[in-house]
Amino acid sequence: MKVKVIVTLKKGVLDPQGKVIQQTLNGMGFSNVNEVRQGKYIEIEVNEKEETKAKLKVEEMCEKLLVNLVIEDYKII
């Protein structure tokens, strides 16, 4: 089963990469862009048939390795 994870910076955490993207877009004429926040998208293929169990395994992976819980949030989809 394939499980997808979206990782984003928590609100209030500075996002210098997002700021550079925003400035570049503004410089390219996309002046209506007010803010950009970037993150990570991760797909994990888990050897599990039951969706609930697969998501629990991926949640454990996120909390142990994939996400810095101090500055990042994640959503399993």
Side-chain angles (χ1 to χ4, degrees):
M1 172 174 289
K2 187 179 289 187
V3 181
K4 300 167 187 173
V5 181
I6 298 175
V7 182
T8 56
L9 291 170
K10 290 184 176 187
K11 295 282 185 198
V13 174
L14 294 177
D15 185 356
Q17 287 179 305
K19 191 67 172 169
V20 169
I21 294 167
Q22 176 197 353
Q23 291 170 346
T24 302
L25 288 170
N26 289 158
M28 294 173 69
F30 298 102
S31 58
N32 58 344
V33 177
N34 295 325
E35 183 181 22
V36 175
R37 307 260 314 157
Q38 61 84 42
K40 298 182 277 189
Y41 172 78
I42 304 167
E43 288 186 353
I44 301 171
E45 188 73 34
V46 180
N47 190 12
E48 181 63 60
K49 293 185 186 336
E50 192 176 321
E51 183 178 349
T52 305
K53 287 183 180 180
K55 286 184 176 183
L56 284 173
K57 285 183 180 183
V58 171
E59 186 173 330
E60 184 179 359
M61 293 174 199
C62 287
E63 293 182 5
K64 289 186 174 184
L65 175 69
L66 302 174
V67 179
N68 180 343
L69 296 173
V70 175
I71 62 169
E72 295 175 321
D73 288 323
Y74 68 95
K75 181 195 288 191
I76 297 174
I77 55 173

